[in-house]
C-alpha cells in the first residue's frame, strides 16, 4: 500500500490515491475528535497524517483535492455547497469615515425625499457586527433555508449548519407566512479564545480573528463540525416578506425580537446627525468592553415608508450608512516602489512593504495612488503629510480601512536612510517602453501604447473574462496570463477562435500543463461556446472602456437596445467629442480671464461659438447630446467611448469580437405589465410631489429609460411648472406630454 512509500517517492497515480486516502482518514479523525469527543488517534499521529498530506500536495499541486484536509482551516471550498439565488439581493452598506459624511447623508436623504431641513427625520443607530451575513428563510413558521451572502445575488446553502446555531430558531410562532430574516453570524471573544486554545493544543493553525473563525466554522461541509463551534446570530434586517413586519425599523426589530431572534441591545433611535454622531462616540467608547467584534455603527432611516421611497443604488440602500471606526495603524519599512500598468494604461505605484500585521491581517503591499501622492501633494497641489514625500527605504505607517486596499498614513523622516533619494516616477511605460503621459487635469500618468502594451492587453483580457463581464468558466486571470504569454490569445476575439485555430492540438497541450486535467480542458471550449450568446450590457462592460462601469454599461444598453444602435451612435458622436473638448477649453479660458478681471464670463456664448466653429457633420451634435443626455452618462463616459471607437486598432479589435457573438438585447427592468416599460421618458420643469431623483428611480424601476433631452426617440415628457424648451420641443415633435399628477396616475402612484 502507498501509505508506506515516502512522499518523495510516490509517482503521480500513487499520489492521487494517497491524497484520497488521507482526506478520508483525516476527515474521520476530525469527526471523531470534534463531534464524538472520542479521538481515534493520538495528536502526533494526526499531525503526521497532515504533514504527509501537505508534502504530497506540495509535490503535485494540481492533484490537491477540493476536500483537501489542508484547506479545512478557514473556509471550505465554495464548490462544496449548493448555490442559492436570493429572492431579494443581499446588499452591502455605504461606508462613512468622517463626521461630515453623516451630515451629508442626512442632507442627501432630505433632498431625495424633498424634505426641508427642519422636517422631522429619525434614524436607528446600532453596532455594525464584524461577522458574516446570513439570510434565513421561514415558510409557515419553519426554517427552510439558510444562505450566505455570496456575491449578493447567489449565496451558498448552509441550512444544515445554521440549524446547529442556538440563536437561530427552527420554528416561529405568529410570524408572516413567508419571512426572510437577515443578520450576522459571529463568534464571541471568549468562545474564540477557547476555540483557538483547542486548535493550538491539537497543532491546528489558530484562526486570525473571530470573523475568520466564524466564517470557517459556518462554511463547514460537515454540519457536525459547525455544531461543535459556538456561533451566535444577531438579527438586524429582512428580505422577502408576505406581509410587512411593522411601520418603522425600530418596531420591526422589536417584532423580530418577540419572534425569538436575538437583536442587538445597543440599538437606539436618533433624531438627526448630531445624535447619530454622539451615539457613534458612545459606542466607540464601549467597543473594548463588548464581547464581540464590531467595526462601526450602522444608521438606518426609521420610517419604512421612507425606506421604500428611497430604494437602492446598484449595491447599497440609499437609506442606510455605516460609520466605520478608524483603521488600525502599524509602522513598517517600504522596501520598494513598483509600478503596475492597468487596463486603461494607468501607471499605479505600489508600495512593497516588509510584512506587518494590522488588525490580524498581514500587509505586504499598499497603494501609493499616483506621482503627486508620492511627492507629498494632492491633486490641487496642496501638501499632504505636511508635504513629506515617500522614498524607497522609508519607514511608513500603514492602515487598512474597511475592505479596501491598504493605504499609507505617514512617513517617519527621522528614520530615513541617508541613501534614500526622491522617487523618480517613470515617464515611459515600464512594460512596453511607450511614452507615459499625463493630461492636464488628470492626476494619473498613462501609457500610450494601447493594445501593443502587454500589461494593458493582459489586464483588458482579465477584465473581459471577469465575473461581471463574460464570466467564462475555467478561464480566469491566471489562465489568461498563461495563454497570453504563450501567444494563444492577444485580444478578446482570439478567445472565440482558440478551438478553430488550435483545435485538438490545443487540447493536448492544455492537458499536459500544470493545473489542467482532461476534463477541464474539454470543458473550456464548451464554456467559451456558451458565452457566444451574451447580453448587450455585459458586452459593453467587458470592453473595458475607461469610466464605463457596470452601471453605465447597463444604462447604455437600455438606452440603445442593440449593439448596432449603440455603435452607430458612438461613431456618429466621435467628431462631436473634439468639439466638446474645444468648447470646454474655450469656457475655461473665458473663466480664467473673468477671474483676472479682464471681462465678464460669457460661458454659454463661448460654448455655442466653439460648437459652431467645429462645423460638425450632419447628426454628430444630436448623437452627442443624446449620449450625454442619458441619465447617469456624463461627458467623461461619452468622451472615453468616442476616444476608444475613434482609435482604428481598438475599433478593429472590437469589430473582430462582435463577429463571434450573438448579442442579446437588454431585458426591460420592468414588471412586464408596467405601462412605461421600454419607453424613453424625459422629466422637465419642477416636480412637487417627488424629487427628480425619485421620479427617475421610480421610472427605471418600472422598466423605462430616462433621458435628459427630448428627441424623436422620446416617448413621453413629464413636464412640471417652468418646463421651457424641452416641453416646447415635445409639442413640436408631437410627443405625449403629462403633468406630474398625470404621471402618478399613469404609474398607479396617485
Ligand atoms: S444592515 C441592506 N445592519 O455589514 C443592508 N448590516 O458592509 C442590510 N452588517 O453585508 C445590512 N452589522 O453583513 C446591517 N447592524 C447591521 C450590520 C450589518 C453588520 C454587515 C452586513 C452587510 C455588511 C455591509
Amino acid at each position: 500500500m502507498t501509505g508506506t512509500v515516502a512522499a518523495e517517492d510516490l509517482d503521480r497515480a500513487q499520489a492521487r490515491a494517497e491524497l484520497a486516502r488521507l482526506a478520508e482518514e483525516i476527515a474521520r479523525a476530525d469527526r471523531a475528535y470534534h463531534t464524538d469527543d472520542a479521538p481515534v488517534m493520538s495528536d502526533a499521529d494526526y499531525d503526521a497524517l497532515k504533514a504527509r498530506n501537505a508534502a504530497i500536495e506540495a509535490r503535485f499541486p494540481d492533484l490537491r483535492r477540493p476536500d483537501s484536509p489542508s484547506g479545512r482551516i478557514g473556509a471550505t471550498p465554495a464548490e462544496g455547497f449548493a448555490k442559492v439565488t436570493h429572492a431579494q439581493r443581499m446588499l452591502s452598506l455605504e461606508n462613512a469615515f468622517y463626521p461630515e459624511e453623516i451630515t451629508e447623508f442626512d442632507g442627501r436623504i432630505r433632498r431625495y425625499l424633498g424634505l426641508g431641513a427642519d422636517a422631522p427625520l429619525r434614524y436607528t443607530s446600532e453596532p455594525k457586527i464584524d461577522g458574516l451575513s446570513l439570510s434565513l428563510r421561514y415558510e409557515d413558521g419553519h426554517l427552510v433555508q439558510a444562505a450566505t451572502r455570496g456575491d449578493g445575488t447567489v449565496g451558498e446553502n448552509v441550512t444544515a449548519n445554521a440549524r446547529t446555531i442556538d440563536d437561530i430558531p427552527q420554528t416561529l410562532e405568529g410570524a408572516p407566512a413567508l419571512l426572510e430574516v437577515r443578520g450576522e453570524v459571529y463568534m464571541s471573544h471568549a468562545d474564540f479564545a477557547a476555540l483557538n486554545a483547542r486548535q493550538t493544543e491539537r497543532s491546528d493553525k489558530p484562526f486570525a480573528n473571530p470573523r475568520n473563525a466564524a466564517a470557517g466554522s459556518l462554511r463547514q461541509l460537515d454540519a457536525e463540525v459547525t455544531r461543535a463551534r459556538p456561533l451566535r446570530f444577531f438579527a438586524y434586517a429582512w428580505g422577502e416578506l408576505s406581509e410587512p413586519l411593522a411601520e418603522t425599523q425600530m418596531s420591526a426589530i422589536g417584532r423580530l425580537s418577540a419572534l425569538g431572534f436575538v437583536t442587538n441591545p445597543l440599538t437606539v433611535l436618533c433624531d438627526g446627525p448630531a445624535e447619530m454622531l454622539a451615539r457613534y462616540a458612545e459606542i466607540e467608547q464601549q467597543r473594548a468592553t463588548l464581547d464581540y467584534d464590531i467595526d462601526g455603527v450602522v444608521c438606518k432611516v426609521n420610517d419604512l415608508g421612507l425606506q421604500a421611497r428611497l430604494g437602492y443604488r446598484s449595491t447599497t440602500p440609499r437609506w442606510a450608512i455605516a460609520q466605520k471606526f478608524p483603521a488600525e495603524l502599524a509602522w513598517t519599512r517600504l522596501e520598494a516602489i513598483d509600478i503596475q500598468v492597468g487596463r486603461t494604461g494607468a501607471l499605479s505605484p505600489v508600495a512593497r512593504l516588509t510584512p506587518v500585521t494590522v488588525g490580524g491581517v498581514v500587509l505586504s503591499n499598499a497603494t501609493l495612488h499616483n506621482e503627486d501622492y508620492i511627492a507629498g501633494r494632492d491633486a490641487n497641489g496642496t501638501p499632504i503629510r505636511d508635504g513629506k514625500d515617500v522614498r524607497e527605504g522609508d519607514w511608513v505607517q500603514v492602515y487598512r480601512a474597511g475592505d479596501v486596499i491598504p493605504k499609507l498614513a505617514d512617513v517617519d523622516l527621522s528614520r530615513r536612510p541617508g541613501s534614500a533619494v526622491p522617487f523618480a516616477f517613470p515617464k515611459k511605460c515600464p512594460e512596453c517602453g511607450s511614452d507615459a503621459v499625463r493630461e492636464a487635469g488628470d492626476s494619473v500618468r498613462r501609457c500610450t501604447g494601447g493594445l501593443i502594451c502587454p500589461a494593458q492587453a493582459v489586464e483588458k483580457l482579465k477584465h473581459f473574462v471577469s465575473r461581471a463581464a463574460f464570466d467564462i468558466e475555467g478561464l480566469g486571470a491566471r489562465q489568461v496570463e498563461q495563454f497570453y504569454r504563450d501567444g494563444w490569445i492577444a485580444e478578446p476575439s482570439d478567445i472565440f477562435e482558440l478551438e478553430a485555430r488550435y483545435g485538438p492540438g490545443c487540447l493536448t497541450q492544455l492537458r499536459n500543463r500544470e493545473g489542467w486535467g482532461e476534463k477541464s480542458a474539454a470543458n473550456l471550449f464548451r464554456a467559451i461556446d456558451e458565452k457566444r450568446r451574451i447580453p448587450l450590457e455585459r458586452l459593453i462592460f467587458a470592453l473595458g472602456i475607461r469610466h464605463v462601469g457596470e452601471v453605465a454599461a447597463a444604462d447604455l444598453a437600455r438606452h440603445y437596445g442593440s449593439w448596432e444602435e449603440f455603435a452607430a451612435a458612438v461613431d456618429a458622436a466621435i467628431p462631436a467629442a473634439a468639439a466638446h473638448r474645444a468648447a470646454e477649453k474655450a469656457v475655461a479660458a473665458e473663466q480664467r480671464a473673468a477671474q483676472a478681471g479682464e471681462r465678464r464670463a460669457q460661458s454659454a456664448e463661448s460654448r455655442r461659438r466653439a460648437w459652431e466653429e467645429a462645423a460638425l457633420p450632419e447628426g454628430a451634435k444630436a448623437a452627442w447630446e443624446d449620449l450625454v443626455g442619458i441619465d447617469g452618462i456624463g461627458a467623461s463616459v461619452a468622451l472615453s467611448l468616442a476616444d476608444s471607437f475613434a482609435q482604428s486598432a481598438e475599433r478593429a479589435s472590437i469589430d473582430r469580437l462582435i463577429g463571434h457573438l450573438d448579442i442579446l438585447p437588454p431585458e426591460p427592468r420592468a414588471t412586464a405589465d408596467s405601462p412605461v416599460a421600454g419607453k424613453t421618458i424625459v422629466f422637465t420643469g419642477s416636480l412637487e410631489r417627488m424629487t427628480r431623483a425619485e421620479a427617475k428611480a421610480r421610472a427605471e424601476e418600472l422598466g423605462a429609460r430616462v433621458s435628459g433631452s427630448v428627441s424623436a426617440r422620446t416617448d413621453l415628457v413629464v413636464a412640471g411648472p417652468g418646463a421651457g424648451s424641452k416641453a416646447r420641443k415635445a409639442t413640436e415633435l408631437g410627443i405625449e406630454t403629462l403633468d406630474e399628477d398625470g404621471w402618478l396616475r399613469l404609474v398607479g402612484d396617485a
Side-chain angles (χ1 to χ4, degrees):
M1 103 166 199
T2 41
T4 54
V5 182
E8 311 79 87
D9 300 331
L10 293 169
D11 66 23
R12 223 182 137 73
Q14 286 173 325
R16 194 193 301 269
E18 184 64 354
L19 286 175
R21 185 186 73 83
L22 286 167
E24 193 177 315
E25 190 161 345
I26 294 171
R28 188 170 57 87
D30 281 340
R31 263 195 312 276
Y33 183 94
H34 286 292
T35 11
D36 312 338
D37 264 341
V40 289
M41 63 180 73
S42 72
D43 283 357
D45 286 347
Y46 180 85
D47 291 345
L49 289 184
K50 280 201 125 171
R52 182 172 170 81
N53 186 73
I56 302 174
E57 283 180 351
R59 275 194 64 214
F60 300 97
D62 58 314
L63 293 184
R64 196 188 138 125
R65 301 167 55 87
D67 63 347
S68 161
S70 58
R72 217 166 293 154
I73 301 290
T76 313
E79 295 74 69
F81 291 99
K83 299 276 183 275
V84 173
T85 302
H86 296 297
Q88 263 180 31
R89 287 219 306 145
M90 287 182 81
L91 298 161
S92 47
L93 291 167
E94 180 191 356
N95 287 330
F97 295 97
Y98 304 101
E100 309 82 82
E101 292 175 277
I102 295 306
T103 329
E104 286 161 17
F105 168 68
D106 177 67
R108 209 161 45 234
I109 288 182
R110 287 176 186 277
R111 270 196 307 285
Y112 190 95
L113 295 171
L115 293 178
D118 299 330
L121 182 57
R122 301 225 277 181
Y123 298 90
T124 57
S125 167
E126 64 196 284
K128 183 168 188 302
I129 316 298
D130 195 6
L132 61 149
S133 45
L134 187 68
S135 185
L136 306 169
R137 190 176 171 93
Y138 291 87
E139 288 173 6
D140 300 320
H142 293 278
L143 175 64
V144 295
Q145 187 176 75
T148 62
R149 192 182 112 122
D151 64 3
T153 304
V154 178
E156 290 162 1
N157 187 335
V158 291
T159 314
N161 303 17
R163 288 192 198 283
T164 70
I165 299 176
D166 286 345
D167 287 349
I168 296 180
Q170 303 273 340
T171 54
L172 304 176
E173 246 166 70
L178 173 61
L179 168 63
E180 278 184 1
V181 175
R182 292 176 173 179
E184 204 86 350
V185 173
Y186 68 100
M187 194 178 281
S188 76
H189 289 161
D191 290 336
F192 170 69
L195 171 64
N196 262 359
R198 262 190 287 151
Q199 292 285 113
T200 317
E201 232 167 68
R202 44 179 319 215
S203 309
D204 272 339
K205 211 172 121 204
F207 292 100
N209 52 48
R211 209 201 87 84
N212 286 1
S217 303
L218 183 68
R219 297 171 73 257
Q220 285 288 337
L221 283 178
D222 182 351
E224 292 311 313
V225 179
T226 309
R227 190 189 299 283
R229 304 273 176 87
L231 293 175
R232 295 164 194 251
F233 181 79
F234 275 130
Y236 53 64
W238 52 90
E240 207 179 2
L241 292 173
S242 54
E243 61 189 87
L245 283 174
E247 285 182 4
T248 64
Q249 177 76 28
M250 202 63 184
S251 38
I253 295 302
R255 180 91 195 279
L256 291 179
S257 165
L259 285 170
F261 291 94
V262 184
T263 58
N264 193 288
L266 300 175
T267 310
V268 296
L269 274 174
C270 293
D271 254 330
E275 283 189 16
M276 280 143 72
L277 290 169
R279 181 62 183 170
Y280 169 82
E282 275 172 24
I283 299 285
E284 195 177 14
Q285 288 294 316
Q286 285 187 42
R287 185 181 185 189
T289 63
L290 296 177
D291 191 33
Y292 47 88
D293 277 355
I294 63 174
D295 56 349
V297 172
V298 183
C299 297
K300 301 171 185 171
V301 169
N302 188 42
D303 183 322
L304 297 182
L306 297 183
Q307 281 192 10
R309 277 179 63 194
L310 286 159
Y312 302 90
R313 290 171 288 243
S314 59
T315 59
T316 55
R318 287 196 189 85
W319 42 262
I321 196 160
Q323 292 175 269
K324 302 296 286 279
F325 292 134
E328 282 186 72
L329 296 159
W331 285 95
T332 187
R333 215 174 76 92
L334 192 164
E335 294 175 354
I337 297 176
D338 282 353
I339 302 289
Q340 288 179 347
V341 182
R343 161 168 67 81
T344 59
L347 267 51
S348 310
V350 181
R352 304 291 178 207
L353 309 168
T354 305
V356 61
T357 306
V358 183
V361 176
V362 180
L363 302 190
S364 45
N365 301 310
T367 175
L368 291 169
H369 303 287
N370 54 54
E371 57 191 291
D372 288 344
Y373 184 85
I374 296 177
R377 50 175 186 263
D378 70 9
N380 307 315
T382 320
I384 48 175
R385 302 182 298 268
D386 300 326
K388 289 182 267 186
D389 71 333
V390 182
R391 304 182 183 184
E392 293 181 327
D394 268 339
W395 279 86
V396 293
Q397 195 182 32
V398 289
Y399 66 99
R400 272 174 69 234
D403 305 326
V404 297
I405 321 162
K407 293 186 179 161
L408 208 119
D410 204 1
V411 182
D412 186 350
L413 292 186
S414 72
R415 297 176 81 179
R416 174 169 282 174
S419 57
V421 291
F423 182 70
F425 204 92
K427 306 280 185 292
K428 299 252 182 227
C429 171
E431 299 284 342
C432 71
S434 304
D435 286 340
V437 300
R438 227 182 123 168
E439 283 181 14
D442 195 353
S443 55
V444 172
R445 193 170 281 280
R446 288 173 203 280
C447 161
T448 53
L451 288 176
I452 68 142
C453 174
Q456 283 189 54
V458 170
E459 292 307 315
K460 262 193 181 277
L461 283 165
K462 284 193 204 162
H463 172 81
F464 184 83
V465 300
S466 66
R467 199 143 164 184
F470 271 65
D471 190 21
I472 297 174
E473 211 175 320
L475 194 59
R478 204 165 51 86
Q479 291 80 9
V480 162
E481 272 173 12
Q482 203 175 54
F483 289 3
Y484 182 85
R485 227 183 303 122
D486 296 347
W488 286 10
I489 56 175
E491 60 172 53
S493 72
D494 296 336
I495 294 173
F496 296 97
E497 287 172 17
L498 260 182
E499 189 168 17
R501 244 194 265 162
Y502 299 98
C506 169
L507 247 180
T508 321
Q509 280 192 53
L510 267 184
R511 247 188 270 132
N512 295 336
R513 277 177 195 222
E514 207 181 329
W516 287 90
E518 195 131 335
K519 226 166 105 191
S520 55
N523 284 345
L524 177 64
F525 291 138
R526 197 173 35 78
I528 291 174
D529 269 341
E530 274 171 14
K531 294 296 159 80
R532 287 181 201 268
R533 281 169 67 80
I534 192 86
L536 178 60
E537 60 273 23
R538 275 186 181 257
L539 167 64
I540 296 176
F541 172 68
L543 296 178
I545 294 167
R546 207 174 141 207
H547 301 308
V548 183
E550 266 181 273
V551 176
D555 287 342
L556 290 164
R558 265 196 305 279
H559 186 79
Y560 292 108
S562 73
W563 172 261
E564 290 71 22
E565 288 262 340
F566 165 67
V570 178
D571 284 339
I574 290 172
H580 172 86
R581 285 201 170 96
E584 293 313 301
K585 217 163 132 187
V587 169
E590 174 97 16
Q591 278 167 351
R592 271 195 307 277
Q595 261 167 16
E598 287 168 24
R599 56 171 182 269
R600 255 169 16 112
Q602 290 183 309
S603 305
E605 178 53 24
S606 318
R607 191 174 277 127
R608 195 190 58 74
R609 209 170 328 113
W611 276 97
E612 226 169 68
E613 280 164 14
L616 295 176
E618 175 85 21
K621 190 163 187 220
W624 174 265
E625 282 178 350
D626 188 48
L627 183 56
V628 294
I630 303 171
D631 237 83
I633 304 293
S636 52
V637 173
L639 284 173
S640 56
L641 282 169
D643 287 351
S644 293
F645 276 53
Q647 281 173 26
S648 54
E650 188 159 341
R651 185 58 211 270
S653 153
I654 294 176
D655 287 342
R656 281 191 289 276
L657 168 68
I658 301 300
H660 292 289
L661 303 176
D662 179 6
I663 302 162
L664 308 170
E667 289 189 16
R669 231 196 270 177
T671 38
D673 54 358
S674 148
V676 294
K679 296 200 170 162
T680 300
I681 302 178
V682 174
F683 291 95
T684 177
S686 57
L687 302 173
E688 271 144 25
R689 297 183 40 200
M690 55 192 172
T691 61
R692 188 71 70 80
E694 199 180 349
K696 175 187 176 232
R698 178 76 178 122
E700 287 183 347
E701 211 175 87
L702 293 167
R705 296 190 262 271
V706 177
S707 175
S709 60
V710 176
S711 73
R713 307 160 53 96
T714 310
D715 296 301
L716 174 65
V717 172
V718 180
S725 61
K726 291 183 193 175
R728 271 198 303 281
K729 192 159 176 195
T731 320
E732 274 165 35
L733 293 171
I735 295 165
E736 183 184 1
T737 305
L738 290 177
D739 63 7
E740 187 175 0
D741 286 338
W743 161 256
L744 291 171
R745 272 196 304 277
L746 174 68
V747 299
D749 289 348

